[in-house]
Amino acid sequence: MKIGIATGRTSPPESEWTRFRRYGLEKYLDALVTSREVEKRKPSPDAIIECARRLEISLGQSLVVGDTDSDVIAARRAGAIAVAVSTGQESLESLKSQHPELLSRTLKPFLSFWIKRQTDLRR
């Protein structure tokens, strides 16, 4: 399993990597794309498409987890599986109106999925 970040932030990529290093999370990331690196910001799918290209993965089999309406719209436009988590600025109802494939109030279901997937891959 590969993990990438396609952020709407316009900061330089180096600044974003520094932020993830500060929390010891960089070792879990295989790619990071900021809005500064693509032509159009979300809800355009540009950052997601570029992230998938760097990861060398198929968009149709990719989960894109986001906490904004723009994240869900961009994921759908990219042809990825849109997963919405209401941990950010958007309400659960607002995210639901964008018709994501999966919707949750927390990251816990997705973390459980990821842990199970990692265990299955090691077998």
Side-chain angles (χ1 to χ4, degrees):
M1 180 180 295
K2 296 179 181 180
I3 298 177
I5 302 284
T7 181
R9 291 174 180 252
T10 57
S11 51
E14 307 81 41
S15 297
E16 293 304 309
W17 278 111
T18 298
R19 189 166 61 96
F20 286 105
R21 279 189 205 96
R22 188 177 313 128
Y23 299 104
L25 298 173
E26 80 286 354
K27 60 189 168 201
Y28 300 109
L29 301 178
D30 299 298
L32 186 143
V33 178
T34 69
S35 288
R36 178 181 279 210
E37 300 175 88
V38 295
E39 188 176 332
K40 297 177 188 170
R41 294 184 70 189
K42 294 175 189 171
S44 165
D46 291 6
I48 293 170
I49 292 168
E50 176 60 20
C51 193
R53 187 194 66 74
R54 292 181 190 182
L55 292 169
E56 299 177 341
I57 59 173
S58 163
L59 281 163
Q61 296 181 355
S62 301
L63 291 179
V64 174
V65 180
D67 62 357
T68 68
D69 292 345
S70 291
D71 291 333
V72 175
I73 294 166
R76 292 173 57 105
R77 287 180 178 172
I81 300 165
V83 175
V85 182
S86 65
T87 57
Q89 57 188 319
E90 308 286 355
S91 70
L92 191 66
E93 287 306 311
S94 181
L95 291 168
K96 188 176 183 178
S97 74
Q98 299 305 322
H99 309 289
E101 295 292 324
L102 299 168
L103 176 65
S104 178
R105 293 181 190 277
T106 69
L107 282 172
K108 188 174 181 178
F110 308 111
L111 294 174
S112 297
F113 167 80
W114 184 74
I115 291 167
K116 181 182 182 323
R117 174 82 169 149
Q118 293 301 310
T119 303
D120 290 346
L121 289 173
R122 289 188 185 127
R123 290 184 187 168

